[in-house]
Amino acid sequence: MCGIVGYIGKRDAQSILVEGLKKLEYRGYDSAGIAMYTEAGLQVKKAKGRLAVLESHLDGAPLVGTVGIGHTRWATHGKPSDENSHPHTDMTMKFSVVHNGIIENYTDLKEELIASGVTFVSETDTEVISHLVAREYDGDIVRAVQKAITHLRGAYALGVLTEFEPDRLVAVRNASPLIIGIGEGEHFIGSDIPAILEHTRNVFILNDGEMAVLTKDTVELMTIEGNFISREMIHVDWDAVTAEKAGFDHFMLKEIYEQPKAYRDTMRGRVDSDLTVSLPELKLSPAELANIRKVHIVACGTAYHAGLVGKTVIETSARIPVEVEVASEYRYRCPLITPETLVIVVSQSGETADTLAALREAKANGAHVLAITNVVGSSVAREADSVMLTMAGPEIAVASTKAYSSQLIAFFLLGMYLAQTLSTQETAWVRGIVAAMLALPEQVEQILDNTDALREYAESIAVHEHLFFIGRGVDYAVAQEGSLKLKEISYIHSEAYAAGELKHGTLALIEDGIPVIALATQNALLEKTVSNIKEVKARGGVIFGISDVNEATALGKAVDEVYAIPATHPLLTPALSVVPLQMISYYASLARGNDVDKPRNLAKSVTVE
Ligand code: M6R
């Protein structure tokens, strides 16, 4: 999940690489480096730490040239250090490589290279690639790369330069994302679109097993075996400013405030004026849908939590049994997948390795795979049978917010479409929910206009080390997401429990003063939840309750403080109740002085298993 950027053209490569790396820092930020072809030959500058450290090195001694590759690292093999930073070189310093992914057989390759006299300077898996390329070089860098990668097993996106051919930049993709940017008299590589968006909107997306050879004037696309291929160029509509903070202190805050737009954009074109849902992207006919016997939802982290809500939505609307599973567990337990199973994979980035592996497992077993993803052209989007795009726009903060809530909207749309197509619910029921969905963006805006109490509460919990979330039904699903968000960016330990389950053990952990956030948006379950709240309160828990405006007075009598969200249909409450939880996490992280957008030990896109 490292970031790669590369440039070949006529402009100052250093500034283009450094600016590109800034856009990619969310992919990994424990070290950064660049390699450039200069008058003195191939030069490498790299440093442990944030990109700013590398920049300070470059300030004193800039690299001058018009060809280069850059990398921002999220450590997998070898600790964050100057030596382990990319780019890596061979012993002669004539070849330089940046890599995103993991070389699974690097230990064997390393032993073999050491036996042949190679000296390694890093602990990384990547360094074997630079030595292999050097070993295979016979005057043609493309051939050398092609030969070198035949030895590799694993995932890699690569950028490769050699001092011997300063007018060529070679890029390879195998199971790690890589795009090629097309300019005039200049070309780019990037592991993600924002890295090059400032310079071009025209891109080629490489598929697995493909490579590109860039000069300043040409781009040749070929398979790794060397067969030339042609590819349609994609024009990216994203506004460069969209990927910036736009006046907010943090990307996370900006992205929380973008949720009304993300909801509207995700519903746009899918909700008809008669309040029915159209999903032409679902490539299953009504007859095929009627044949679906079960649904598996597979995802990781926050996307998995969206799946938990999706289960209730689909089971309620389509009356089809749904299982939800974390992707890293799914394929290793021989899941019962048949051609009558609809497998829904959910991934913001569309590049999460575990989710991609689950998708492949599902396809191999004959299931139709529907991807809910935020990134056009991502691996998940390209490999799934049907793709439902969430229209959240680029999400930069590591903590997912608008992508999660847009995934909820996607599940609502899917649920209503299924109910409509399978006639499992009355038309009026579907229309009522669709009408309520259309009101959600404005209701989120109301919540975002009323955050003072959330800030105060967050500041009060920032001194605590433990916290609990409780809820029933979809409130429990949202509680799990709230708990992950809080842990991820505030580093406060928290646990989410089904409210009725606490007394089966966890209640032992409740002691005087422990903060508990109780979600009670399911009006039909309010009394039951209130009973559970009282069990906690009797043991000293301090409770912050969240309900809709209609029940706030009743809930207020049982809790220490209550926060009211606007009223909506009970199935839709997650799209509202998650917002105060996101704000509480944000403010708690701020109060603790943490790096909100780049929490420790984490990366935005997890492309290793
Ligand atoms: O890109 P994906 O949605 O596949 O990512 C899955 C998780 O890694 C991601 O949701 C992670 O849990 C977030 N950092 C949580 O905020």
Side-chain angles (χ1 to χ4, degrees):
M1 59 206 81
C2 308
I4 289 178
V5 62
Y7 176 75
I8 185 161
K10 49 202 176 208
R11 291 192 279 155
D12 166 38
Q14 178 180 298
S15 55
I16 290 171
L17 296 176
V18 170
E19 287 310 309
L21 291 179
K22 279 185 189 161
K23 303 284 179 352
L24 291 177
E25 248 197 316
Y26 66 91
R27 295 183 69 94
Y29 35 84
D30 55 47
S31 60
I34 60 172
M36 278 176 45
Y37 180 71
T38 71
E39 272 194 343
L42 197 60
Q43 300 262 298
V44 176
K45 288 266 177 105
K46 53 189 190 175
K48 176 187 166 191
R50 292 280 163 100
L51 186 59
V53 180
L54 174 70
E55 279 187 283
S56 66
H57 290 320
L58 292 170
D59 277 350
L63 297 182
V64 180
T66 60
V67 182
I69 49 180
H71 189 269
T72 176
R73 179 170 185 252
W74 186 79
T76 56
H77 292 67
K79 60 186 176 300
S81 70
D82 288 354
E83 297 72 29
N84 290 337
S85 311
H86 298 217
H88 288 284
T89 56
D90 70 310
M91 284 163 70
T92 63
M93 301 275 295
K94 302 291 186 199
F95 299 86
S96 187
V97 173
V98 286
H99 166 220
N100 172 26
I102 287 181
I103 305 304
E104 286 164 7
N105 60 334
Y106 90 101
T107 317
D108 293 345
L109 293 171
K110 189 168 179 174
E111 278 170 13
E112 183 196 314
L113 285 160
I114 289 172
S116 69
V118 170
T119 308
F120 277 75
V121 294
S122 80
E123 304 159 307
T124 64
D125 50 341
T126 305
E127 195 184 338
V128 298
I129 306 172
S130 37
H131 295 301
L132 285 172
V133 172
R135 188 181 77 184
E136 302 292 353
Y137 189 71
D138 63 0
D140 181 345
I141 186 61
V142 179
R143 205 160 47 227
V145 171
Q146 285 167 338
K147 282 187 183 166
I149 60 180
T150 61
H151 301 283
L152 306 180
R153 210 174 58 233
Y156 46 87
L158 305 175
V160 184
L161 283 183
T162 177
E163 184 177 310
F164 298 123
E165 299 176 55
D167 56 347
R168 295 218 277 182
L169 165 54
V170 180
V172 187
R173 170 185 171 140
N174 185 48
S176 290
L178 202 64
I179 55 160
I180 311 298
I182 312 300
E184 282 192 18
E186 58 182 5
H187 293 112
F188 308 81
I189 65 171
S191 40
D192 214 340
I193 290 166
I196 59 171
L197 195 60
E198 197 183 325
H199 308 291
T200 180
R201 288 161 186 283
N202 296 326
V203 299
F204 290 127
I205 297 176
L206 287 186
N207 289 325
D208 288 347
E210 292 178 352
M211 59 192 294
V213 182
L214 286 66
T215 69
K216 71 182 174 52
D217 298 313
T218 60
V219 172
E220 287 175 338
L221 301 180
M222 60 186 81
T223 64
I224 51 177
E225 292 83 22
N227 302 316
F228 289 102
I229 48 180
S230 61
R231 170 78 24 89
E232 197 185 333
M233 195 162 65
I234 291 182
H235 184 77
V236 180
D237 290 330
W238 286 359
D239 182 346
V241 189
T242 309
E244 302 296 337
K245 283 189 212 153
F248 287 92
D249 288 344
H250 297 94
F251 280 115
M252 182 183 177
L253 191 62
K254 170 179 172 273
E255 288 157 8
I256 289 172
Y257 275 80
E258 283 172 344
Q259 289 177 115
K261 179 176 185 316
Y263 288 17
R264 287 187 183 104
D265 289 349
T266 302
M267 287 188 273
R268 183 164 296 125
R270 289 167 168 157
V271 174
D272 299 330
S273 52
D274 61 353
L275 298 179
T276 55
V277 174
S278 308
L279 284 184
E281 59 266 69
L282 185 56
K283 307 287 179 218
L284 284 173
S285 66
E288 287 168 320
L289 279 179
N291 223 17
I292 297 294
R293 291 288 160 267
K294 60 181 172 182
V295 175
H296 287 176
I297 301 177
V298 192
C300 301
T302 283
Y304 165 76
H305 294 150
L308 295 176
V309 176
K311 171 184 167 75
T312 301
V313 173
I314 293 171
E315 287 188 341
T316 308
S317 53
R319 309 307 293 156
I320 302 173
V322 181
E323 287 174 38
V324 193
E325 188 146 357
V326 287
S328 54
E329 292 293 323
Y330 187 66
R331 78 181 158 134
Y332 296 113
R333 66 164 182 87
C334 301
L336 295 172
I337 308 167
T338 67
E340 290 77 40
T341 312
L342 171 64
V343 176
I344 304 177
V345 294
V346 190
S347 174
Q348 184 283 129
S349 62
E351 299 295 349
T352 300
D354 286 316
T355 309
L356 197 52
L359 178 159
R360 289 173 180 158
E361 174 78 16
K363 281 189 81 171
N365 284 281
H368 184 95
V369 177
L370 164 64
I372 297 180
T373 182
N374 197 35
V375 181
V376 194
S378 62
S379 303
V380 160
R382 285 180 299 116
E383 293 193 28
D385 300 300
S386 300
V387 181
M388 215 177 147
L389 285 172
T390 49
M391 300 296 181
E395 190 180 67
I396 307 296
V398 168
S400 183
T401 53
K402 63 176 181 172
Y404 166 83
S405 50
S406 304
Q407 287 158 1
L408 299 183
I409 302 294
F411 275 118
F412 299 155
L413 289 166
L414 178 64
M416 294 314 113
Y417 178 76
L418 292 176
Q420 210 176 270
T421 310
L422 302 173
S423 302
T424 39
Q425 293 286 355
E426 298 288 330
T427 306
W429 184 88
V430 174
R431 288 190 177 156
I433 292 184
V434 173
M437 285 169 62
L438 294 174
L440 289 171
E442 208 173 305
Q443 293 179 318
V444 172
E445 278 157 5
Q446 287 167 27
I447 296 172
L448 293 173
D449 284 343
N450 177 24
T451 58
D452 289 351
L454 300 171
R455 179 176 206 139
E456 277 166 35
Y457 177 68
E459 286 167 359
S460 77
I461 60 165
V463 295
H464 287 264
E465 290 306 329
H466 304 281
L467 187 142
F468 288 88
F469 289 80
I470 57 172
R472 284 170 175 265
V474 287
D475 281 344
Y476 173 42
V478 178
Q480 291 176 70
E481 171 57 9
S483 174
L484 175 66
K485 210 86 320 175
L486 188 74
K487 285 187 274 237
E488 187 177 17
I489 57 169
S490 77
Y491 318 147
I492 297 171
H493 167 245
S494 71
E495 306 228 20
Y497 267 86
E501 182 66 11
L502 268 190
K503 55 184 168 297
H504 298 289
T506 313
L507 206 52
L509 293 172
I510 302 295
E511 54 189 14
D512 242 5
I514 195 146
V516 178
I517 297 179
L519 287 137
T521 70
Q522 300 301 294
N523 297 350
L525 296 171
L526 187 70
E527 282 178 14
K528 302 259 178 241
T529 308
V530 165
S531 301
N532 303 136
I533 287 172
K534 285 186 173 157
E535 292 157 9
V536 174
K537 194 130 185 60
R539 277 128 190 122
V542 180
I543 298 157
F544 184 88
I546 297 176
S547 74
D548 76 24
V549 278
N550 299 331
E551 303 295 343
T553 313
L555 182 66
K557 290 181 187 144
V559 301
D560 296 275
E561 189 177 348
V562 69
Y563 183 87
I565 58 171
T568 183
H569 187 280
L571 264 190
L572 308 183
T573 57
L576 299 179
S577 61
V578 73
V579 180
L581 301 186
Q582 294 166 343
M583 293 303 294
I584 288 171
S585 301
Y586 172 77
Y587 285 130
S589 175
L590 262 194
R592 291 187 141 214
N594 296 347
D595 188 339
V596 175
D597 285 335
K598 291 174 188 158
R600 68 187 181 201
N601 307 340
L602 299 176
K604 181 68 180 164
S605 183
V606 186
T607 51
V608 292
E609 286 191 46

